[in-house]
Amino acid sequence: MFVSKVFRLPEVSPARRFPSFSACLPEDIPSRTADHGPEPPVRKPPKGSSQLNRWSRARAIRSGRRLDSPALRKMTAPHFSSPPPTSSSSSPSLSQLDEIPPSISDDFQDDGEVAAAKAIYMVSDGTGWTAEHSVNAALGQFEHCLVDRGCPVNTHLFSGVEDVERLMEIVKQAAKEGALVLYTLVDPSMAKSAEQACKLWGVPSTDILRPTTEAIAAHLGVAPSGIPRGAPGRKAPLTEEYFQRIEAIDFTIKQDDGAQPRNLNRAHIVLVGVSRTGKTPLSIYLAQKGYKVANIPIVMGVELPKALFEINQEKVFGLTINPVVLLSIRKARAKSLGLDGEMRSNYSEMDYVREELEYANKIFVQNPVWPVIEVTGKAIEETAAVVVRICHDRKQKCLMPRISKRY
Amino acid sequence: MFVSKVFRLPEVSPARRFPSFSACLPEDIPSRTADHGPEPPVRKPPKGSSQLNRWSRARAIRSGRRLDSPALRKMTAPHFSSPPPTSSSSSPSLSQLDEIPPSISDDFQDDGEVAAAKAIYMVSDGTGWTAEHSVNAALGQFEHCLVDRGCPVNTHLFSGVEDVERLMEIVKQAAKEGALVLYTLVDPSMAKSAEQACKLWGVPSTDILRPTTEAIAAHLGVAPSGIPRGAPGRKAPLTEEYFQRIEAIDFTIKQDDGAQPRNLNRAHIVLVGVSRTGKTPLSIYLAQKGYKVANIPIVMGVELPKALFEINQEKVFGLTINPVVLLSIRKARAKSLGLDGEMRSNYSEMDYVREELEYANKIFVQNPVWPVIEVTGKAIEETAAVVVRICHDRKQKCLMPRISKRY
């Protein structure tokens, strides 16, 4: 869901407009690029520091200071027909809006840099998450352009678009902004209207889900219902999967960070690794998919719970990570937690990190049934895909490995 | 991600093959359909009981007892060329596999009912989550068939397919099973191979993401990279969004169920509602999208934390639900927790449920700034879409409401 944003702006000191703004974002983390030496020209190694530095710049932008780069100044906002937001207002609603995280914030429409970006409109008569997911995945194919060649893109999600009037408004606005319209409209008359209106106003457009739906319709020999999700006539979501998923989430939250080892036997998946290898977000991601996940931290000097070795060992997965990357993540974390002095140096220094990873590695060697997954450079979704694949491969010893579901 | 499965099998007593199997699923919940009177013929009201009843039947199926219905017996498994799993084995690996939740379990290939289902293969050179998401969404358009007319579908996800040999194996197997192949292969030569092989072997196939990718390529005037996610050459995921998301998840877990009211001001979204209105799964879903969420239970006789009324009121959302549905969810929950006697009757009886919802309603009336969302019949994703939409609409008072992101 999360694709990188680029901030190629000069560093300036953050001048926050709203006093409440600082409350919802971590403290500034100074640039530490010097720690890592020069960077290769094309592919950058994963580094928390420069990314966090970008984040801090992003916040500076959002805090409303002026842009100094002439290259940016000449990028004006020719397309936006709506009046700019009243940026000097300090009404409660505006101060709240500032608290939405920067990547999903909308208050960048008065920002010269971003207005020059190409716009992609995603229009859905449902939640819009399918459009968002597909567009994110497709944009992954343009990272070389987004990151290196500087063609910024803004996506705009219009969800719950259930009447033609609203649809027409959106298409008209897309025409004004020169946007691409990508839609998932399951009501055939809405889809037709979108197609015709886009044609009429010269807006490039694509129905994201139609090829998939048509292929399935042909395969099943059944026409699609044309009823959006959540509309009357669609079935209620209180299916067994619903309960299974809720239970998995409840279980996983309660088992976070080594809590309640007596329940380990009830987990579908048990993740083991040192602090900041991403055990918690991975657990949560898998829980959303219906797996009950427990995660257990490896801490030097703290024995792993006995129960871990008594449960089915094929449930257990080790996570490991490159020490340099781990150190940068931990440093960022320590700073964000406001830790310093003794504790921080102990937690984040390189020797300690290496020693702890070696300690973890020894445990992994002693437990050869546990697959050990290298998480360096992997998104949560990617590690999750590996875990799930191994889980299912293990049970299909004589079949072609696959993850199957019934509908 | 979770679409309903159908189990139209006669009720039989569960006869579990594997002793470890019962450990990972909740206790049997007896059918309580009598509580609710007769059902309308087409659209069923949301009911935990009958769904859970289905679940219990599903477990009976999975536990390996024989199918008694002649209609089911005549559905044989003509397509599967692989040998059936060794069902009488009691090796640790098989007992583990049973612990994977039923909806995402693969061990149904020896099951007469399901083998008669139409197969959909999803093939990806990445995580496969985009294919899965799109196919789930598209299958939502065939619920009328899946549920009411009985054309079961099995999906099979093949992720991380990075070489042509594996791709060919999968396509061949699809041909044998009469499967539809839906793929997201970003490497153009892989996509071409899939297309040609499917044509050659008469397998219907569609490239799920191609129309979207091509539309974006034309819009940006840039060719897609053709590099799968996670492949060398793709950027590392330690972006600011990565850290933002991790922080959101960490925050949300710590704030679950009214914990640490002193941190409420740091939340982007605060959910308020009585027990079992889905606050926790909704919080977690939103956290995955980068929002820091706190949730606070409304319990009669327990005062809401003062901090809730001191923070920006535009962050707060009330959740409400139909009392009959809530009661059925709570009864299922109480049973699964093993609660009975005093506590259970107090927690789950109708009068109490109504009274508590009225109590919540009074609080909502006293706080008119809080939008109150009716969650009855809504999937978590749908409620999340409503919350996010309101969040963003509120900040765009003079713009066309949309949820925007920068790339």
Side-chain angles (χ1 to χ4, degrees):
Chain A
M1 292 286 182
F2 285 76
V3 178
S4 171
K5 301 182 295 192
V6 200
F7 298 97
R8 268 165 265 86
L9 295 166
E11 189 72 12
V12 294
S13 65
R16 298 193 179 100
R17 269 195 309 231
F18 305 116
S20 68
F21 177 59
S22 60
C24 67
L25 286 171
E27 290 309 297
D28 268 73
I29 293 162
S31 167
R32 291 178 299 101
T33 43
D35 295 2
H36 301 290
E39 295 174 11
V42 178
R43 196 183 165 208
K44 294 180 187 178
K47 283 191 298 184
S49 57
S50 77
Q51 298 293 352
L52 285 163
N53 189 25
R54 283 201 211 161
W55 194 356
S56 126
R57 271 182 277 165
R59 289 157 53 199
I61 297 165
R62 295 181 66 253
S63 72
R65 52 123 194 86
R66 309 187 70 194
L67 303 175
D68 294 319
S69 154
L72 291 168
R73 260 205 304 271
K74 76 176 183 211
M75 296 181 191
T76 50
H79 290 310
F80 284 92
S81 64
S82 316
T86 50
S87 58
S88 63
S89 158
S90 60
S91 73
S93 76
L94 266 173
S95 71
Q96 178 211 2
L97 307 174
D98 263 318
E99 294 174 14
I100 288 178
S103 70
I104 40 183
S105 153
D106 321 51
D107 57 349
F108 54 76
Q109 300 193 348
D110 56 347
D111 184 330
E113 179 203 34
V114 182
K118 299 254 184 179
I120 298 177
Y121 275 33
M122 302 176 286
V123 184
S124 167
D125 46 12
T127 61
W129 303 138
T130 302
E132 190 189 63
H133 193 114
S134 298
V135 170
N136 268 334
L139 280 175
Q141 286 299 300
F142 299 91
E143 272 164 10
H144 57 297
C145 158
L146 301 174
V147 175
D148 299 328
R149 296 220 318 258
C151 58
V153 167
N154 292 344
T155 61
H156 304 275
L157 175 62
F158 300 85
S159 63
V161 178
E162 287 167 337
D163 57 85
V164 166
E165 291 67 35
R166 201 165 156 231
L167 178 61
M168 291 303 112
E169 253 181 66
I170 293 165
V171 176
K172 261 190 256 181
Q173 184 64 23
K176 282 186 200 159
E177 289 187 35
L180 166 67
V181 171
L182 298 172
Y183 57 93
T184 55
L185 296 163
V186 304
D187 179 337
S189 74
M190 287 284 280
K192 193 84 202 152
S193 299
E195 197 183 341
Q196 288 174 337
C198 286
K199 216 172 211 171
L200 187 69
W201 287 314
V203 175
S205 74
T206 296
D207 187 332
I208 288 181
L209 216 51
R210 193 189 292 173
T212 306
T213 310
E214 283 177 355
I216 293 174
H219 186 53
L220 302 183
V222 174
S225 69
I227 306 170
R229 187 174 188 161
R234 282 290 290 269
K235 68 165 187 51
L238 289 185
T239 58
E240 70 202 68
E241 285 83 355
Y242 176 85
F243 286 105
Q244 184 180 298
R245 187 180 177 189
I246 304 293
E247 278 224 18
I249 292 169
D250 280 350
F251 178 90
T252 302
I253 289 180
K254 288 200 183 83
Q255 295 302 128
D256 189 42
D257 204 28
Q260 309 188 16
R262 68 181 178 282
N263 293 334
L264 280 183
N265 63 327
R266 291 176 50 222
H268 301 124
I269 292 165
V270 178
L271 306 173
V272 181
V274 304
S275 171
R276 294 285 120 189
T277 43
K279 297 185 297 298
T280 297
L282 178 58
S283 299
I284 292 294
Y285 188 86
L286 292 166
Q288 296 262 31
K289 294 199 166 283
Y291 299 89
K292 291 182 186 166
V293 187
N295 70 71
I296 295 176
I298 294 180
V299 182
M300 274 197 293
V302 178
E303 228 174 306
L304 286 167
K306 244 178 122 181
L308 175 63
F309 304 97
E310 291 163 358
I311 59 166
N312 182 335
Q313 295 297 290
E314 293 212 340
K315 289 178 180 186
V316 187
F317 292 77
L319 301 182
T320 192
I321 188 169
N322 174 292
V324 177
V325 174
L326 181 58
L327 181 62
S328 85
I329 295 174
R330 285 193 176 175
K331 279 193 169 170
R333 174 69 174 176
K335 186 92 191 181
S336 126
L337 289 176
L339 304 177
D340 42 21
E342 202 58 44
M343 189 173 172
R344 186 177 162 199
S345 71
N346 203 22
Y347 182 75
S348 60
E349 283 317 317
M350 199 59 197
D351 285 349
Y352 185 81
V353 163
R354 281 194 201 282
E355 206 186 329
E356 202 173 44
L357 284 171
E358 274 162 31
Y359 176 78
N361 225 32
K362 267 182 211 151
I363 295 171
F364 296 153
V365 169
Q366 284 159 13
N367 294 277
V369 178
W370 305 354
V372 179
I373 301 171
E374 165 67 68
V375 302
T376 312
K378 279 200 184 76
I380 297 163
E381 289 82 351
E382 291 170 285
T383 310
V386 174
V387 170
V388 171
R389 207 183 306 150
I390 294 174
C391 258
H392 287 259
D393 284 4
R394 281 187 156 175
K395 66 183 287 198
Q396 295 166 323
K397 293 199 166 74
C398 53
L399 294 172
M400 189 178 288
R402 59 178 91 178
I403 300 158
S404 305
K405 270 191 181 185
R406 302 173 199 182
Y407 287 89
Chain B
M1 292 286 184
F2 284 77
V3 178
S4 170
K5 301 180 303 192
V6 199
F7 298 98
R8 269 164 265 86
L9 296 166
E11 189 73 10
V12 295
S13 65
R16 297 193 181 100
R17 270 199 307 235
F18 306 119
S20 68
F21 177 59
S22 60
C24 67
L25 287 170
E27 290 308 296
D28 269 72
I29 293 162
S31 167
R32 289 175 302 101
T33 43
D35 295 4
H36 301 289
E39 294 174 11
V42 177
R43 197 187 164 206
K44 294 181 186 177
K47 284 190 299 186
S49 57
S50 78
Q51 298 292 352
L52 285 164
N53 189 25
R54 281 202 212 161
W55 194 356
S56 124
R57 271 182 280 165
R59 288 159 52 200
I61 296 165
R62 296 183 65 254
S63 70
R65 52 124 193 86
R66 309 187 68 193
L67 304 175
D68 294 319
S69 154
L72 291 169
R73 261 204 303 271
K74 77 176 182 210
M75 296 181 190
T76 50
H79 289 309
F80 285 92
S81 64
S82 314
T86 50
S87 58
S88 61
S89 159
S90 58
S91 74
S93 76
L94 267 173
S95 71
Q96 178 211 2
L97 308 174
D98 264 318
E99 293 174 17
I100 290 178
S103 70
I104 38 182
S105 152
D106 322 49
D107 58 350
F108 54 75
Q109 300 194 348
D110 56 347
D111 183 331
E113 179 204 35
V114 182
K118 299 254 187 179
I120 297 177
Y121 276 32
M122 303 176 284
V123 184
S124 166
D125 46 11
T127 62
W129 303 137
T130 302
E132 188 188 65
H133 194 114
S134 298
V135 170
N136 269 334
L139 281 174
Q141 287 300 299
F142 299 91
E143 272 165 10
H144 57 297
C145 158
L146 302 175
V147 175
D148 300 327
R149 296 220 317 257
C151 60
V153 166
N154 292 343
T155 61
H156 304 277
L157 174 61
F158 301 85
S159 63
V161 178
E162 288 168 337
D163 57 86
V164 165
E165 291 67 34
R166 204 170 151 225
L167 178 61
M168 291 304 112
E169 253 181 66
I170 294 165
V171 176
K172 262 190 254 180
Q173 184 63 23
K176 282 186 199 161
E177 289 187 33
L180 165 66
V181 171
L182 298 172
Y183 56 92
T184 54
L185 295 163
V186 304
D187 179 336
S189 74
M190 287 284 280
K192 193 82 202 154
S193 299
E195 198 183 340
Q196 289 175 336
C198 286
K199 215 172 213 173
L200 187 68
W201 288 313
V203 175
S205 75
T206 296
D207 186 332
I208 289 182
L209 215 50
R210 193 188 294 172
T212 307
T213 310
E214 282 177 355
I216 293 175
H219 186 53
L220 302 183
V222 174
S225 70
I227 305 170
R229 188 173 186 163
R234 282 288 291 268
K235 68 165 187 49
L238 290 186
T239 58
E240 71 202 67
E241 284 83 355
Y242 176 85
F243 286 104
Q244 184 179 299
R245 186 179 177 191
I246 303 292
E247 277 224 18
I249 293 170
D250 279 351
F251 178 91
T252 303
I253 289 180
K254 288 200 183 81
Q255 294 303 128
D256 188 41
D257 204 29
Q260 310 189 15
R262 68 180 178 284
N263 292 335
L264 280 183
N265 63 328
R266 292 176 48 222
H268 302 124
I269 293 165
V270 178
L271 306 173
V272 182
V274 304
S275 171
R276 295 284 120 190
T277 44
K279 297 186 297 298
T280 298
L282 179 57
S283 300
I284 291 294
Y285 188 87
L286 292 166
Q288 297 262 30
K289 294 199 166 283
Y291 299 90
K292 290 182 187 167
V293 187
N295 71 72
I296 296 176
I298 295 180
V299 182
M300 275 197 292
V302 179
E303 228 173 305
L304 286 168
K306 245 177 121 181
L308 176 63
F309 304 96
E310 291 164 358
I311 59 165
N312 183 336
Q313 295 298 289
E314 292 211 341
K315 289 178 179 185
V316 187
F317 291 77
L319 301 182
T320 192
I321 188 168
N322 174 292
V324 177
V325 174
L326 181 57
L327 181 61
S328 86
I329 295 175
R330 284 191 177 177
K331 279 191 169 172
R333 174 70 173 176
K335 187 93 189 179
S336 124
L337 289 176
L339 304 177
D340 43 19
E342 202 59 42
M343 190 171 171
R344 187 178 161 198
S345 71
N346 202 22
Y347 182 74
S348 60
E349 283 317 318
M350 198 61 195
D351 286 350
Y352 185 81
V353 163
R354 280 193 203 283
E355 207 185 327
E356 202 174 45
L357 284 171
E358 273 161 33
Y359 175 77
N361 225 33
K362 267 183 212 149
I363 294 172
F364 296 153
V365 168
Q366 285 159 14
N367 295 276
V369 179
W370 306 355
V372 178
I373 301 171
E374 165 66 69
V375 303
T376 312
K378 278 199 185 79
I380 297 163
E381 290 82 352
E382 290 170 285
T383 310
V386 174
V387 170
V388 170
R389 207 184 307 150
I390 294 174
C391 259
H392 288 259
D393 284 5
R394 282 188 155 173
K395 65 182 288 196
Q396 295 166 323
K397 291 196 166 77
C398 53
L399 293 172
M400 188 178 289
R402 60 177 91 179
I403 300 158
S404 305
K405 270 192 181 184
R406 302 177 201 180
Y407 287 90

